Amino acid sequence: MALLREGVLTVHGRVTDASNAVLYCTVTLDGLTAPCVYKPVAGERPLWDFPDGTLAGREAAAHEVSAATGWGLVPPTLLREGPAGPGMVQLWIEPDPDAPELLDLQPLETGPRPGWLPILRAEVDGGRLAWLVHRDDERLRRLAVLDAVLNNADRKGGHWLSAADGRIYGIDHGVTCHPAPKLRTLLWGWAGQPLTDEAREALDRLAADLAGPLGERLRPHLTAGEIAALAARTAALLADGRHPLPSAEWPSIPWPPV
């Protein structure tokens, strides 16, 4: 993290398909250079339903929560000054082009193939129906648990990356941690299923840390109400012992999905 925190940021270009300012950079310290993403607060579009704090602060908070679970699902992320003012800096994760696909469309008539879980029925090719499915992958399942804790309102298919090290990383956490329920995700394949023992252990660690050091580290990024809601969601998951179900009261799938 010292490299991201103290290194010299050099901007090389802008990610043009993002809704807010996303700059591709390198960061250099003591002869070591790494690629990173820099999202300046000045480039954020105001969101009526996220009036408090900043998107950059929520991204930093998501990394802190991820680290506390022990899963390390969010790349190293922090807030710091940059060429365009304060913003989020996150280590760049290069997707592995040879990694197996995690999303697929499969024929409605035959149902999802073994090893895949249904998300929804999708209309393709002028009215033909198909299953949109994701892999039954423990790495994605951990991400589903993290999203339930973070109340992630935007887990699109493009918001996870398969890296060359075999890990899956979640990115783009600017619309998380709202006190009101807003979970919108493609990772509904385990909805209603019991949490794994691993997940319960991770949530136990998170709950303990939220009551202590983690709660203090989140204060610069989230309101007191948002931190309390995060702790309440963690406790509710542990008490229920199951992955949450989609709500009938708000959209449960992000748009666009991918």
Side-chain angles (χ1 to χ4, degrees), residues 158-243:
H159 289 179
W160 63 68
L161 303 173
S162 296
D165 61 4
R167 298 173 65 181
I168 292 175
Y169 293 91
I171 60 171
D172 288 324
H173 295 99
V175 287
T176 56
C177 299
H178 199 286
K182 287 183 177 289
L183 183 59
R184 290 190 288 269
T185 177
L186 290 186
L187 298 177
W188 288 116
W190 301 279
Q193 292 188 22
L195 296 172
T196 63
D197 290 342
E198 179 196 39
R200 294 185 65 87
E201 291 169 4
L203 291 170
D204 278 332
R205 288 193 295 271
L206 177 59
D209 207 359
L210 278 167
L214 176 60
E216 291 301 316
R217 294 197 300 274
L218 292 177
R219 290 187 186 280
H221 310 309
L222 304 175
T223 67
E226 289 167 341
I227 296 171
L230 198 157
R233 287 191 298 271
T234 303
L237 278 170
L238 281 167
D240 185 59
R242 295 180 178 273
H243 288 266

Side-chain angles (χ1 to χ4, degrees), residues 72-248:
L73 295 169
V74 178
T77 310
L78 50 77
L79 285 183
R80 58 162 287 179
E81 284 290 330
M88 180 277 276
V89 176
Q90 183 176 83
L91 187 69
W92 177 273
I93 301 297
E94 188 66 33
D96 180 2
D98 298 322
E101 292 294 332
L102 299 172
L103 282 175
D104 195 16
L105 287 168
Q106 297 179 1
L108 191 70
E109 299 79 14
T110 58
R113 296 195 297 269
W116 296 85
L117 298 173
I119 306 167
L120 51 79
R121 291 189 297 178
E123 184 176 311
V124 296
D125 296 336
R128 183 172 63 89
L129 294 178
W131 283 113
L132 178 63
V133 297
H134 65 68
R135 284 193 185 271
D136 187 1
D137 188 306
E138 285 304 309
R139 299 169 300 170
L140 282 180
R141 191 168 188 171
R142 295 182 192 117
L143 197 58
V145 174
L146 179 66
D147 283 346
V149 168
L150 291 174
N151 195 20
N152 192 348
D154 198 30
R155 179 62 73 197
K156 295 181 172 71
H159 289 179
W160 63 68
L161 303 173
S162 296
D165 61 4
R167 298 173 65 181
I168 292 175
Y169 293 91
I171 60 171
D172 288 324
H173 295 99
V175 287
T176 56
C177 299
H178 199 286
K182 287 183 177 289
L183 183 59
R184 290 190 288 269
T185 177
L186 290 186
L187 298 177
W188 288 116
W190 301 279
Q193 292 188 22
L195 296 172
T196 63
D197 290 342
E198 179 196 39
R200 294 185 65 87
E201 291 169 4
L203 291 170
D204 278 332
R205 288 193 295 271
L206 177 59
D209 207 359
L210 278 167
L214 176 60
E216 291 301 316
R217 294 197 300 274
L218 292 177
R219 290 187 186 280
H221 310 309
L222 304 175
T223 67
E226 289 167 341
I227 296 171
L230 198 157
R233 287 191 298 271
T234 303
L237 278 170
L238 281 167
D240 185 59
R242 295 180 178 273
H243 288 266
L245 295 167
S247 172

Side-chain angles (χ1 to χ4, degrees), residues 4-9 27 38 40-41 78-89:
L4 290 181
R5 184 178 297 108
E6 302 169 18
V8 176
L9 276 175
V27 59
Y38 165 48
V41 172
L78 50 77
L79 285 183
R80 58 162 287 179
E81 284 290 330
M88 180 277 276
V89 176

